[in-house]
Amino acid sequence: MAEIKTIAVIGAGTMGRGIAHVAALGGYRTILEDLLPNALRRAESEIRNNLDKAVKLGKVSTNDAHAAAGRLEYAGSVEDAAREADLVIEAVPEELESKIEIFTLLDKVCRPGTILASNTSSLSITEIAGVTYRATKCVGMHFFNPVHKMKLIEIVRASQTDDETIAAAVEVGKRMGKEIVVIKESPGFITSRINAMIGNEAFYMLGEGIASAEDIDKALKLGLNHPMGPFELVDLVGLDTRLHILDYLHRTLGEKYKPAPLLVEYVQAGRLGRKVGKGVYEYPGEK
């Protein structure tokens, strides 16, 4: 099995900085990349704050938190981040073109044995891997938001992913403190496929005036024991991200995944969720 010592994370957005957090805490030298200096500064601040909170809650020792912070490095280019990495985890927005562009570049700058992973929540790893000369070393690692709290990683085997790559990804996930499921590639994998259906139906219900957003969320939390309602969750994930996923599932799996008109309307209006201060709900001060 490939030995992983250095992990590069491409993209310092919500998912990227969360992945960097758990990678460093898992004992890996971790290089977080973003083209925007402000994104890197924000990521560094947020990771340190989350580590401090974990220490206060008794979930992480002071020594482990300091050690994790010391293992984190920051880079302003993909080349600088990925050149020495044994595993690169791409965490750019959920758009196939963006991920293909990143994988094409990574295939050129990384060493031949470096494993390339995508944090996509629905897209085809096989299609993304197809632009590289190392398809056997490409894998899906689907993390969940917030990464430092959520326990699951879906490890996705593409059509050419070899057993050694799967074993390495599973080992990394376990050292990050996660529970692992390994699945054969399919549109939406397990969680996104089911979650998109639930969330889309909630938008249809809201658009039809069946109930308020608050009552729909309340019903699923109290009646079905969901930790978050579908609208609370989509505001956290991002309405644009959810729409990208539904568009892809609609193309690949058929009409049952056709995006609800109200979801499309909200995205067109710029109501993208917590990251902009307004989604289904409003979040003053969070923009």
Side-chain angles (χ1 to χ4, degrees), residues 74-136:
Y74 300 89
S77 73
V78 172
E79 293 90 339
D80 288 343
R83 190 175 292 116
E84 298 179 6
D86 305 303
L87 166 66
V88 182
I89 303 174
E90 162 275 308
V92 303
E94 189 71 356
E95 298 170 352
L96 184 61
E97 294 79 7
S98 298
K99 294 181 184 293
I100 284 176
E101 182 179 351
I102 291 294
F103 266 62
T104 301
L105 177 57
L106 289 172
D107 195 42
K108 294 177 181 177
V109 302
C110 291
R111 295 173 303 192
T114 299
I115 294 171
L116 306 184
S118 175
N119 178 52
T120 179
S121 55
S122 64
L123 300 175
S124 169
I125 305 298
T126 298
E127 187 170 357
I128 295 169
V131 301
T132 76
Y133 290 96
R134 63 180 84 204
T136 59

Side-chain angles (χ1 to χ4, degrees), residues 25-196:
L25 203 55
Y28 296 102
R29 176 194 178 200
T30 304
I31 307 168
L32 178 59
E33 180 275 342
D34 204 285
L35 295 176
L36 302 176
N38 284 343
L40 290 177
R41 285 194 289 269
R42 179 179 177 184
E44 183 175 11
S45 175
E46 184 171 306
I47 291 170
R48 288 184 180 275
N49 287 339
N50 286 334
L51 286 170
D52 289 343
K53 289 178 185 177
V55 170
K56 291 177 181 178
L57 292 171
K59 295 182 177 181
V60 175
S61 71
T62 301
N63 287 341
D64 286 346
H66 284 319
R71 283 188 284 267
L72 277 163
E73 303 171 28
Y74 300 89
S77 73
V78 172
E79 293 90 339
D80 288 343
R83 190 175 292 116
E84 298 179 6
D86 305 303
L87 166 66
V88 182
I89 303 174
E90 162 275 308
V92 303
E94 189 71 356
E95 298 170 352
L96 184 61
E97 294 79 7
S98 298
K99 294 181 184 293
I100 284 176
E101 182 179 351
I102 291 294
F103 266 62
T104 301
L105 177 57
L106 289 172
D107 195 42
K108 294 177 181 177
V109 302
C110 291
R111 295 173 303 192
T114 299
I115 294 171
L116 306 184
S118 175
N119 178 52
T120 179
S121 55
S122 64
L123 300 175
S124 169
I125 305 298
T126 298
E127 187 170 357
I128 295 169
V131 301
T132 76
Y133 290 96
R134 63 180 84 204
T136 59
K137 298 299 178 188
C138 295
V139 65
M141 293 184 72
H142 178 206
F143 293 80
F144 295 81
N145 186 24
V147 178
H148 65 289
K149 293 182 179 180
M150 298 294 282
K151 282 293 185 183
L152 183 66
I153 302 177
E154 288 180 317
I155 303 295
V156 184
R157 182 192 290 271
S159 63
Q160 296 186 58
T161 310
D162 62 23
D163 291 340
E164 183 182 33
T165 299
I166 294 294
V170 168
E171 175 62 22
V172 167
K174 288 180 177 178
R175 281 186 57 182
M176 289 176 172
K178 304 302 184 185
E179 296 289 335
I180 307 297
V181 294
V182 178
I183 64 174
K184 178 182 176 182
E185 179 180 304
S186 176
F189 315 142
I190 298 172
T191 54
S192 293
R193 185 166 171 174
I194 293 173
N195 210 29

